[in-house]
Amino acid sequence: MKRLVSLIIGLLAICGLLAYSSSQLERSSGSTGDKVLNLYNWGDYIDPNLLTKFQKETGYHVNVETFDSNEAMYTKINQGGTHYDLAVPSEYMVAKMKRAHLLQPLDKSRLTGWHNFDPQFLNQSFDRGNRYSMPYFWGTLGIIYNDKFVKASQVQHWQDLWSPKFRDQIMLIDSARDIMGMALVTQHQSMNTTDPQKLLAAEKKLNRLAPNVKAIVADEIKMYMAQDEAAIAVDWSGEAAEMLANNHHLHYVVPSEGSNLWFDNLVIPKTAQHYNAIYAFLNFMSKPANAAQNAAYIGYATPNAKAKALLPKSVRDDRQFYPTQATIDHLQVYRDLSPAKVELYNDRYLEFKMHH
């Protein structure tokens, strides 16, 4: 009898463990309850007060799971077994997810705030007609400089970085497409070119920059610049915003001759389930007051024109993060290149890094 009781207790324990494991797995890949929204987002990329407000207004609880790269997000969704209702890929990843049939089209008839978006940030090459994506934030690639070491007039254009006066003073973000793209712009070429000869010429141009390059780094570039470790950096506007917040001697410039224009976007993965919650959230986030609150919290540029109008004038007129129209007209959105073409960029970039 004791053995039977022990056996029953053991079986109950195993069942409990399996149930717990199942619930944890479900939680990690999106809850399947009725009054929830499962959001797969970058870390700290939405004002938590907005999530609380959304829940109070609609009754939908938002489960947030985070990723740290587009590739990690793509892999998890592509593997299946998840129930994310919304995800936040960058522009090139939207194109890749479309090709892999990982997205559901937006039902525009259920979207009430589409007219709030600035038309110039819609209908981009990665998703013509915005069939699958709603813009979330946008930004640029540019130059960060420290006014303790550099005058503003010395670093207004990409070509300025090649000046001998900046020997061993520049940090570069470790990104093949961006650093190759910077060199291509100085040679009046497209940042999307796949011509091997033009890419080779860009690598040779970068090799001439090598004496000025102090380091090629990743996320730590923010810490180094905040601590005055280098006079100049090349990085994205979102990263620059964090640097500037931590060091008032830092400034950000988008070269007027051209640079990258990037987008992060809200999309609906193919395994989404909670459609009423999805459209309630998309409409909530496209309301000007909410989009403005989110932009103020994150510090990135909003594509929502009516939200931008609600931001302080000092923010709206900040040409570091809201460049002039003339500069915007020269920005280029990266096209999603085939693996073979990406390899061309990577090969040339690695040759430069070895040279450095």
Side-chain angles (χ1 to χ4, degrees):
M1 186 66 179
K2 288 182 179 179
R3 184 177 297 172
L4 179 60
V5 171
S6 297
L7 180 60
I8 292 172
I9 292 172
L11 288 172
L12 289 173
I14 291 171
C15 290
L17 181 61
L18 289 172
Y20 174 79
S21 299
S22 176
S23 69
Q24 290 300 104
L25 180 61
E26 183 177 271
R27 183 176 301 170
S28 70
S29 59
S31 171
T32 55
D34 288 333
K35 296 293 290 184
V36 300
L37 176 81
N38 299 310
L39 175 63
Y40 199 24
N41 198 3
W42 300 85
D44 196 26
Y45 206 30
I46 188 169
D47 183 347
N49 290 326
L50 283 173
L51 298 180
T52 302
K53 181 181 178 183
F54 174 72
Q55 183 171 341
K56 287 181 178 178
E57 287 187 6
T58 66
Y60 294 112
H61 175 73
V62 182
N63 297 314
V64 180
E65 187 174 341
T66 63
F67 55 85
D68 58 9
S69 74
N70 278 287
E71 287 67 29
M73 179 272 302
Y74 177 88
T75 298
K76 189 157 188 181
I77 291 178
N78 190 42
Q79 285 175 343
T82 61
H83 295 288
Y84 301 123
D85 297 307
L86 289 167
V88 191
S90 300
E91 74 292 328
Y92 74 94
M93 189 54 69
V94 173
K96 183 174 181 177
M97 294 176 80
K98 278 197 311 179
R99 281 204 317 273
H101 306 291
L102 295 178
L103 301 179
Q104 298 186 40
L106 297 173
D107 183 351
K108 297 283 183 61
S109 70
R110 300 184 68 174
L111 295 173
T112 59
W114 201 257
H115 61 284
N116 294 329
F117 291 102
D118 188 330
Q120 71 178 328
F121 299 129
L122 300 174
N123 194 35
Q124 295 292 323
S125 58
F126 62 90
D127 185 22
R128 289 299 183 195
N130 288 89
R131 188 180 177 204
Y132 295 92
S133 64
M134 187 174 93
Y136 185 58
F137 282 114
W138 68 275
T140 55
L141 177 75
I143 301 167
I144 301 99
Y145 69 92
N146 189 317
D147 63 22
K148 292 165 68 174
F149 313 114
V150 180
K151 296 178 181 177
S153 60
Q154 294 178 304
V155 283
Q156 292 300 302
H157 303 282
W158 292 121
Q159 186 59 43
D160 295 337
L161 303 184
W162 273 258
S163 169
K165 68 170 68 76
F166 298 136
R167 186 178 183 88
D168 198 35
Q169 294 188 52
I170 300 173
M171 288 192 172
L172 303 178
I173 190 67
D174 191 4
S175 169
R177 196 75 185 268
D178 292 299
I179 301 308
M180 288 289 291
M182 171 187 72
L184 286 165
V185 171
T186 67
Q187 299 175 315
H188 310 290
Q189 302 297 337
S190 166
M191 298 178 86
N192 290 299
T193 186
T194 56
D195 184 325
Q197 292 306 310
K198 291 176 180 177
L199 293 174
L200 178 60
E203 180 214 321
K204 291 181 177 178
K205 180 70 180 282
L206 286 175
N207 287 343
R208 295 196 289 276
L209 180 67
N212 290 1
V213 178
K214 183 172 186 175
I216 302 173
V217 290
D219 267 357
E220 60 269 29
I221 195 171
K222 292 182 289 187
M223 176 187 68
Y224 289 141
M225 291 302 293
Q227 296 177 353
D228 295 343
E229 293 291 333
I232 300 169
V234 174
D235 203 352
W236 308 293
S237 57
E239 306 280 272
E242 291 186 45
M243 297 182 206
L244 270 58
N246 291 317
N247 186 334
H248 69 276
H249 288 288
L250 298 179
H251 309 270
Y252 181 69
V253 176
V254 184
S256 58
E257 64 271 21
S259 188
N260 170 238
L261 172 64
W262 57 259
F263 291 90
D264 286 334
N265 312 270
L266 287 158
V267 299
I268 306 174
K270 67 175 183 179
T271 54
Q273 296 180 335
H274 306 107
Y275 296 100
N276 289 336
I278 288 169
Y279 286 98
F281 188 79
L282 293 176
N283 291 331
F284 175 86
M285 291 304 298
S286 61
K287 288 180 179 179
N290 295 334
Q293 179 179 330
N294 203 33
Y297 175 83
I298 301 298
Y300 287 15
T302 177
N304 189 313
K306 292 187 178 180
K308 180 185 174 185
L310 297 178
L311 295 172
K313 189 175 187 300
S314 60
V315 175
R316 297 196 311 268
D317 295 343
D318 188 346
R319 296 310 179 200
Q320 298 176 108
F321 301 104
Y322 288 98
T324 64
Q325 190 60 50
T327 298
I328 291 175
D329 289 342
H330 287 94
L331 299 178
Q332 303 177 48
V333 176
Y334 290 140
R335 292 201 304 267
D336 180 42
L337 303 178
S338 69
K341 301 301 184 184
V342 170
E343 197 63 29
L344 288 176
Y345 275 83
N346 290 340
D347 287 347
R348 299 274 65 88
Y349 178 65
L350 287 173
E351 287 293 329
F352 157 64
K353 288 179 70 174
M354 290 172 61
H355 187 92
H356 168 259

